[in-house]
Amino acid sequence: MATAAASSASEPEPEPKAAARAEGEEDEVTVARTRRKVLSRAVAAATYKTMGPGWEQEEEGVSDSDADEYAMASSAESSPGDYEWEYDEEEEKNQLEIERLEEQLSINIYDYNCHVDLIRLLRLEGELTKVRMARQKMSEIFPLTEELWLEWLHDEISMAVDGLDREHVYELFEKAVKDYICPNIWLEYGQYSVGGIGQKGGLEKVRSVFERALSSVGLHMTKGLAIWEAYREFESAIVEAARPIAGFLSPFDREQTFDSQLEKIHSLFRRQLAIPLYDMEATFAEYEEWSEDPVPESVVQSYNKALQQLEKYKPYEESLLQAEAPRLAEYQAYIDFEMKIGDPARIQLIFERALVENCLVPDLWIRYSQYLDRQLKVKDLVLSVHSRAVRNCPWTVALWSRYLLAMERHGVDHGEISVTFEKALSAGFIQATDYVEIWQTYLDYLRRRVDFRQDSSKELEELRSTFTRALEYLQQEVEERFSESGDPSCMIMQNWARIEARLCNNMQKARELWDSIMTKGNAKYANMWLEYYNLERAHGDTQHCRKALHRAVQCTSDYPEHVCEVLLTMERTEGTLEDWDVAVQKTETRLARVKEQRMKAAEKEAALAQQEEEKVEQRKRVRAEKKALKKKKKPRGADKPREEEDEKEWGDADGEQPAKRRRVENSVAPAGVDPGTEEESALTRKHTTMDVETPSKQKEKAAALKRDMPKVSHDSSKDSITVFLSNLPYSMGEPEVKLRPLFEACGEVAEIRPIFSNRGDFRGYCYVEFKDEKSALQALELDRKNVEGRPMFVSPCVDKSKNPDFKVFRYSTALEKHKLFISGLPFSCTKEELEDICKVHGTVKDLRLVTNRAGKPKGLAYVEYENESQASQAVMKMDGMTIKENIIKVAISNPPQRKVPEKPEARKALGGPMVPRQMYGARGKGRTQLALLPRALQRPTTGTAQAENGPAPCPAAATSAASEAPKMSNADFAKLLLRK
């Protein structure tokens, strides 16, 4: 690297051939050439200042234009081009859009996408001043991504013309490196600081930036190498620039200047080789080539140790390289590994790397801040991480609460804590209970500031006024937004009452607060009265205790017996005889009234149950009457000749499977024709219909062919390369032909096996077998794809008998704060129409319209946003909106728990008989279910059941007989059925 830097400073550069390079490549070459030239000149100037006036520069000095040349080169790739509009209408359209975005931000300043769009349009229009202001406003609220920071920095570098502008760029770099730990930003910072090396203190500034970059991202396994190489190249360039004059210096001056500079490079090599980084072998080889002396043994040992550590880290780094963003699971595993090792610097780095891609995951911020609070306890680092956490996820109340606690823990000024609390109130939480939690955290902080040994103090008055403000805020602001205060049990008022009673000895104020609590609908709960009683017991007097319990006996409706027992216990130990008599009378009267109310409720419930049973019996009678009426209308003996004929025909089949007969047109003999003639005509018709096949005959023939196809049992060993399709249209003709092109897009299809019934009808499901497992996994993405008007269900092929706990349902059933549930949609609303409405409030990652099995919409939808903030804003804006004359309801997605089917083992443990599920159909033994098994073939389920011609045999005999009975043929089954 050093020789390369030296050659770039002295050798003439060949002129590029314009015809041999593309325009983009020419720009890259120009930028790289300019950076090298400026770096060499800047290093030469720094060396001149270091060596003193005794050294004559071989190169020209660095002028102001040369210093700014690097700034222009570094921003060449990102500086906006000169756009020429063909129509003024498009420019006006952009201006109108800018005005709309500015108005939107004035309403909701936390709209992240609105900030990004506004900056993009202003930059496109060339409004440099407005762009700078828009970026500053956004950076005050949100941390900017690496791309946004680099774009901003390149724009500012291109506009920097003097030292003041350079200082402004330095300030921007300092802000950028605080938002996220990004190696690319640190590299840009170091290279830009080289451009100011000619200024006072420029050399120290460059080294300071590079040292901070190494401490921040130098341990980065994949990207830290670039920082080390840039720093080493900078120091090597200084050495090469000073080499020509080294021979003219005195030994003392040479040791002070040239040799000390060489030692800096040796130190960088040794430091880098002691850290596990990718491509360490190349760095070690470069050190051996660069160093004139052999590599010290201590350096070799450190290098070998780092190589061993690298092998331990490689699996985690490779999993990150192979996975797709945001790689949260891979980062979590990496963090767990680093936590076991316990190196604080590496733990901090892996957390920062994970947060770059998962900055909107509150749990990751909570885990990181918790580690810093409990382990490192460094004030600046802890507060910086907490501040970044609430800027990334302002909708998460747990982050704000932890931030306030951390500020109190590290002794931050009270005014700053109050300002942070006010920011938390305006963050836009998505639940009413979140506001209760943040208020409680702040009130706890204020309570800890009060010295209760004094009767009155400024802190105590502030605490009381804040309690009052909290109650007003929950009653007005929160109830107006969520239609609830979020504090139904009045926990804030309870805490206030405890403080007044225990710490301020103001029991009168505590009683007033408890009166307010009871008037808010809490008087019917026994636990609330007992809480008040315990407070009076500890800090009040017996008279108020007795009064509270007497009121509790009259008002409590959930557990009055418990309250009565407490009252009697108190009077038994402390009361007079008169007090005891009054307590007994009131408790007996109250309990008698409660008993009467419960009996009435039970009678009402029993009456309703009896009415329901009567309705069921009435429906059964009506059904029986209809069945009897049908039997009366049917002529007697009509089916007897047919039964005898069927018995004769099936009995002579000699065990062959009887074909199912279907009724066809004109199958009934006309009047006046004898049976013999009818048989002849039937034979004649049979031969006649063989010549001309109607469409129905063709369909029956195709069904017969499918019926005669050999049945292939599924091979469970191929489950990993097979998917199961269901909910397909029953009318689908030739499913294999129609489904093959659809699934061949996922990979090579080995076989498609549609399932047909015994009549040859398609049953709506089939198996698709692939050549490899990757294709099968890709085919699962076709789930819910519309096929001939129905959503096709694609699921893994899993044997439920071997894996009873396997769940095919792929959607989450837990609370998802970034996803919305919309109900009340018109059935005619399409996915595109709803997406256009939802994307106004944020980035829509996924949108799903809920349909039934036939593909018809149910008026429900799930909309997934990029983060919780966008989802909360969409709830506030869209709830109650009218779409096509339908008023929709919008809420955070919190679906009910899915019922887990009862396992067979559980049913057996309960003592019930193990009845096969197939006997009762898919929904159990309902009254409308038909038993498809003939009654003649059904076995008795109990030992006391009567057989057809006598008592049932004992269970043992039945078991032995069943085990030894010969197998019956189809003709035997037919005889049993006809005999019945």
Side-chain angles (χ1 to χ4, degrees):
M1 297 295 291
T3 56
S7 61
S8 66
S10 59
E11 294 180 3
E13 297 174 338
E15 295 182 0
K17 296 180 181 180
R21 292 187 176 94
E23 183 178 355
E25 294 177 351
E26 291 180 358
D27 294 340
E28 293 179 2
V29 171
T30 304
V31 171
R33 188 190 308 119
T34 305
R35 287 181 176 177
R36 289 197 299 269
K37 182 170 66 175
V38 173
L39 177 64
S40 301
R41 292 179 179 177
V43 170
T47 308
Y48 173 77
K49 290 187 176 183
T50 304
M51 300 301 180
W55 172 51
E56 297 292 337
Q57 280 186 246
E58 295 183 4
E59 299 285 345
E60 296 179 2
V62 180
S63 63
D64 293 338
S65 60
D66 291 333
D68 294 333
E69 187 176 359
Y70 169 78
M72 296 298 294
S74 63
S75 62
E77 298 177 1
S78 65
S79 60
D82 296 330
Y83 296 95
E84 296 180 358
W85 302 104
E86 296 181 3
Y87 302 99
D88 293 338
E89 289 80 1
E90 192 166 358
E91 186 175 355
E92 293 179 1
K93 181 181 178 181
N94 286 341
Q95 291 294 335
L96 292 175
E97 181 66 14
I98 289 173
E99 293 177 1
R100 187 192 69 80
L101 292 173
E102 290 176 345
E103 183 180 358
Q104 181 70 19
L105 287 176
S106 64
I107 299 174
N108 179 20
I109 198 173
Y110 289 96
D111 193 333
Y112 184 89
N113 293 326
C114 196
H115 281 284
V116 175
D117 295 338
L118 178 61
I119 292 172
R120 178 182 56 81
L121 286 176
L122 290 174
R123 190 169 184 265
L124 194 64
E125 292 293 320
E127 300 285 348
L128 302 180
T129 304
K130 291 185 177 180
V131 169
R132 181 179 293 174
M133 293 177 60
R135 284 167 169 163
Q136 288 176 351
K137 288 182 179 179
M138 183 178 181
S139 65
E140 292 173 358
I141 303 172
F142 298 104
L144 305 187
T145 62
E146 179 182 345
E147 293 77 12
L148 290 175
W149 269 120
L150 289 176
E151 183 183 78
W152 188 2
L153 289 167
H154 289 162
D155 289 347
E156 294 292 342
I157 289 172
S158 65
M159 294 186 292
V161 294
D162 54 16
L164 293 177
D165 292 336
R166 178 171 289 276
E167 291 298 327
H168 174 64
V169 175
Y170 283 152
E171 293 176 0
L172 283 183
F173 270 114
E174 291 295 332
K175 290 182 180 179
V177 297
K178 289 179 181 179
D179 276 354
Y180 300 108
I181 292 185
C182 298
N184 292 334
I185 294 180
W186 275 111
L187 189 60
E188 287 286 335
Y189 193 7
Q191 291 175 346
Y192 180 73
S193 62
V194 173
I197 198 172
Q199 298 179 354
K200 183 179 180 180
L203 184 61
E204 290 76 10
K205 175 71 174 178
V206 176
R207 285 175 174 161
S208 173
V209 170
F210 274 117
E211 286 293 338
R212 290 171 57 201
L214 289 181
S215 62
S216 180
V217 295
L219 297 177
H220 199 296
M221 298 282 292
T222 56
K223 297 183 179 180
L225 181 64
I227 305 294
W228 287 99
E229 289 183 346
Y231 192 10
R232 204 168 58 245
E233 184 176 355
F234 166 74
E235 297 290 356
S236 299
I238 295 179
V239 170
E240 294 302 323
R243 191 178 295 275
I245 66 166
F248 301 98
L249 298 176
S250 63
F252 178 77
D253 292 338
R254 176 185 174 88
E255 182 180 357
Q256 291 293 323
T257 57
F258 188 76
D259 293 344
S260 63
Q261 187 64 29
L262 286 176
E263 183 58 31
K264 285 185 175 65
I265 301 176
H266 277 288
S267 175
L268 285 175
F269 269 117
R270 290 194 294 266
R271 289 166 60 189
Q272 181 180 351
L273 291 173
I275 297 173
L277 297 173
Y278 270 42
D279 204 17
M280 291 185 63
E281 296 82 357
T283 305
F284 186 77
E286 181 183 352
Y287 185 33
E288 287 181 324
E289 181 182 356
W290 180 85
S291 178
E292 297 177 355
D293 302 325
V295 179
E297 184 64 26
S298 60
V299 176
V300 176
Q301 292 178 357
S302 300
Y303 167 69
N304 292 330
K305 184 178 179 181
L307 282 178
Q308 294 176 1
Q309 293 177 349
L310 180 62
E311 293 301 321
K312 296 180 181 179
Y313 288 112
K314 269 188 177 180
Y316 298 96
E317 292 290 343
E318 290 174 357
S319 65
L320 290 176
L321 294 175
Q322 294 172 2
E324 297 181 357
R327 298 184 276 263
L328 179 59
E330 289 76 14
Y331 276 119
Q332 293 281 16
Y334 204 163
I335 291 171
D336 293 338
F337 174 73
E338 291 286 9
M339 295 282 276
K340 290 180 181 178
I341 296 178
D343 186 353
R346 299 199 67 90
I347 293 174
Q348 183 183 353
L349 177 63
I350 191 57
F351 267 117
E352 293 290 350
R353 288 177 61 185
L355 288 169
V356 170
E357 298 185 26
N358 300 276
C359 59
L360 301 179
V361 180
D363 292 340
L364 191 59
W365 284 107
I366 290 175
R367 187 178 181 186
Y368 185 24
S369 60
Q370 182 176 336
Y371 168 76
L372 296 177
D373 285 333
R374 296 180 179 179
Q375 301 296 329
L376 297 187
K377 301 179 181 180
V378 180
K379 177 180 178 180
D380 294 337
L381 178 60
V382 170
L383 295 182
S384 173
V385 170
H386 279 290
S387 176
R388 291 161 53 205
V390 297
R391 291 177 66 201
N392 278 279
C393 305
W395 62 88
T396 307
V397 67
L399 293 175
W400 286 103
S401 299
R402 289 173 177 271
Y403 189 16
L404 293 175
L405 291 173
M407 296 177 76
E408 180 186 2
R409 193 177 295 118
H410 292 282
V412 178
D413 183 68
H414 172 63
E416 188 174 348
I417 296 179
S418 299
V419 170
T420 304
F421 168 71
E422 296 298 333
K423 290 181 180 179
L425 286 181
S426 61
F429 300 131
I430 59 179
Q431 292 180 348
T433 54
D434 293 344
Y435 287 94
V436 178
E437 182 177 347
I438 195 65
W439 271 110
Q440 191 61 61
T441 303
Y442 186 58
L443 289 167
D444 292 343
Y445 157 71
L446 293 179
R447 193 264 307 164
R448 288 188 285 267
R449 295 182 67 243
V450 178
D451 183 6
F452 291 100
R453 292 173 296 183
Q454 302 178 7
D455 294 337
S456 179
S457 63
K458 181 180 178 181
E459 290 79 8
L460 179 58
E461 295 302 323
E462 182 181 5
L463 174 62
R464 286 171 172 166
S465 62
T466 307
F467 267 115
T468 304
R469 183 191 167 199
L471 297 176
E472 293 176 354
Y473 186 91
L474 294 176
Q475 185 177 0
Q476 299 174 4
E477 301 289 338
V478 178
E479 283 192 5
E480 180 180 353
R481 178 179 172 185
F482 298 97
S483 299
E484 59 168 332
S485 66
D487 191 15
S489 300
C490 301
M491 295 304 300
I492 291 181
M493 294 183 69
Q494 289 189 43
N495 291 334
W496 189 5
R498 294 189 191 99
I499 291 174
E500 293 289 351
R502 297 175 182 176
L503 301 177
C504 300
N505 297 321
N506 189 355
M507 197 60 202
Q508 182 62 34
K509 179 65 177 179
R511 294 187 184 109
E512 294 176 0
L513 292 171
W514 270 104
D515 286 341
S516 300
I517 292 173
M518 294 304 180
T519 56
K520 292 183 179 295
N522 294 299
K524 58 184 178 180
Y525 300 116
N527 64 322
M528 301 296 290
W529 284 108
L530 294 178
E531 185 72 25
Y532 176 36
Y533 165 75
N534 291 331
L535 189 68
E536 284 283 1
R537 190 80 172 167
H539 307 283
D541 50 45
T542 305
Q543 181 180 358
H544 285 90
C545 288
R546 182 176 291 109
K547 183 178 179 181
L549 289 177
H550 280 282
R551 291 176 59 191
V553 168
Q554 299 298 325
C555 300
T556 303
S557 60
D558 54 351
Y559 298 106
E561 296 90 350
H562 189 36
V563 175
C564 293
E565 183 180 354
V566 173
L567 174 59
L568 293 177
T569 301
M570 188 193 75
E571 298 298 357
R572 180 178 287 111
T573 56
E574 300 180 14
T576 62
L577 178 60
E578 183 180 356
D579 295 332
W580 170 260
D581 292 338
V582 173
V584 170
Q585 181 181 358
K586 286 191 174 183
T587 54
E588 289 179 351
T589 304
R590 176 58 178 163
L591 292 178
R593 191 182 310 121
V594 169
K595 184 178 180 181
E596 182 181 356
Q597 292 174 353
R598 291 176 179 174
M599 290 180 61
K600 288 182 179 179
E603 291 175 358
K604 185 177 180 181
E605 184 177 354
L608 292 176
Q610 185 177 0
Q611 291 178 5
E612 187 65 26
E613 291 179 0
E614 291 176 355
K615 290 180 182 179
V616 172
E617 293 295 333
Q618 185 178 1
R619 285 195 293 265
K620 288 182 179 180
R621 287 196 300 269
V622 172
R623 196 179 304 110
E625 291 174 358
K626 289 183 179 179
K627 190 180 293 184
L629 186 61
K630 287 182 180 180
K631 288 183 178 180
K632 289 180 181 179
K633 290 182 179 180
K634 192 173 182 181
R636 295 182 180 179
D639 295 335
K640 186 173 182 180
R642 176 169 293 183
E643 290 180 3
E644 293 176 355
E645 182 180 352
D646 291 342
E647 183 177 359
K648 181 179 181 180
E649 181 181 351
W650 288 15
D652 297 338
D654 294 333
E656 296 181 2
Q657 181 178 359
K660 294 185 178 180
R661 298 177 301 163
R662 297 189 179 92
R663 295 182 180 179
V664 296
E665 290 187 57
N666 303 324
S667 61
V668 182
V673 180
D674 57 345
T677 308
E678 182 180 353
E679 290 180 5
E680 293 177 2
S681 61
L683 293 173
T684 306
R685 284 197 305 270
K686 181 177 181 182
H687 290 289
T688 305
T689 53
M690 289 293 291
D691 298 332
V692 181
E693 291 186 353
T694 61
S696 60
K697 290 287 186 180
Q698 295 177 358
K699 185 175 180 181
E700 290 181 7
K701 186 176 180 180
L705 291 175
K706 296 174 182 177
R707 192 167 58 242
D708 297 336
M709 290 176 58
K711 296 185 178 181
V712 181
S713 59
H714 175 66
D715 188 0
S716 59
S717 63
K718 298 181 179 180
D719 284 349
S720 60
I721 59 174
T722 307
V723 295
F724 179 70
L725 312 184
S726 59
N727 201 44
L728 294 169
Y730 300 119
S731 60
M732 178 183 287
E734 299 182 351
E736 182 178 3
V737 177
K738 294 184 178 181
L739 293 175
R740 184 173 290 275
L742 180 63
F743 286 92
E744 282 182 344
C746 303
E748 186 177 357
V749 178
E751 184 184 5
I752 296 180
R753 297 193 302 276
I755 307 301
F756 298 96
S757 65
N758 292 332
R759 298 177 56 184
D761 299 328
F762 181 48
R763 300 185 65 179
Y765 58 90
C766 64
Y767 297 89
V768 180
E769 181 182 328
F770 292 90
K771 291 289 187 180
D772 53 11
E773 187 174 352
K774 183 178 180 182
S775 302
L777 294 175
Q778 188 175 354
L780 295 176
E781 298 179 1
L782 297 176
D783 187 35
R784 300 308 197 275
K785 183 175 180 61
N786 192 283
V787 176
E788 295 188 5
R790 291 174 68 92
M792 174 181 64
F793 299 158
V794 184
S795 58
C797 188
V798 177
D799 189 357
K800 288 295 189 65
S801 62
K802 298 180 181 178
N803 300 278
D805 296 332
F806 177 78
K807 297 181 180 179
V808 182
F809 192 72
R810 63 173 184 171
Y811 301 108
S812 174
T813 57
L815 175 65
E816 297 177 283
K817 296 183 180 180
H818 64 288
K819 185 181 291 186
L820 304 184
F821 173 69
I822 304 177
S823 60
L825 289 169
F827 294 152
S828 60
C829 181
T830 64
K831 182 177 180 180
E832 291 75 16
E833 293 174 347
L834 183 59
E835 187 173 3
D836 291 339
I837 296 173
C838 295
K839 69 182 181 182
V840 177
H841 310 289
T843 303
V844 178
K845 296 180 63 177
D846 185 35
L847 190 148
R848 176 169 63 93
L849 290 176
V850 181
T851 61
N852 57 18
R853 297 182 68 89
K856 303 298 182 183
K858 300 174 68 174
L860 309 174
Y862 289 92
V863 183
E864 182 179 356
Y865 280 95
E866 194 172 38
N867 53 54
E868 299 176 15
S869 177
Q870 296 178 3
S872 62
Q873 296 298 327
V875 170
M876 292 188 292
K877 299 295 176 61
M878 294 176 58
D879 189 27
M881 179 185 293
T882 302
I883 299 179
K884 295 183 180 181
E885 299 181 356
N886 283 39
I887 300 177
I888 65 173
K889 294 182 178 180
V890 184
I892 298 297
S893 176
N894 189 15
Q897 294 292 330
R898 292 176 61 83
K899 294 182 179 180
V900 180
E902 189 178 4
K903 296 183 179 180
E905 294 81 359
R907 292 198 299 269
K908 187 174 181 180
L910 293 175
M914 290 294 293
V915 182
R917 183 182 179 88
Q918 292 82 349
M919 283 189 64
Y920 302 121
R923 296 180 180 270
K925 192 173 181 181
R927 63 174 182 272
T928 61
Q929 300 292 327
L930 297 178
L932 301 181
L933 189 66
R935 284 191 293 272
L937 304 180
Q938 291 182 358
R939 296 179 180 176
T941 57
T942 59
T944 59
Q946 293 287 326
E948 186 176 359
N949 297 318
C954 62
T959 304
S960 61
S963 61
E964 297 176 1
K967 295 184 179 180
M968 301 177 66
S969 65
N970 292 331
D972 296 332
F973 278 109
K975 290 179 182 179
L976 289 174
L977 180 61
L978 294 175
R979 189 179 299 116
K980 184 67 180 178

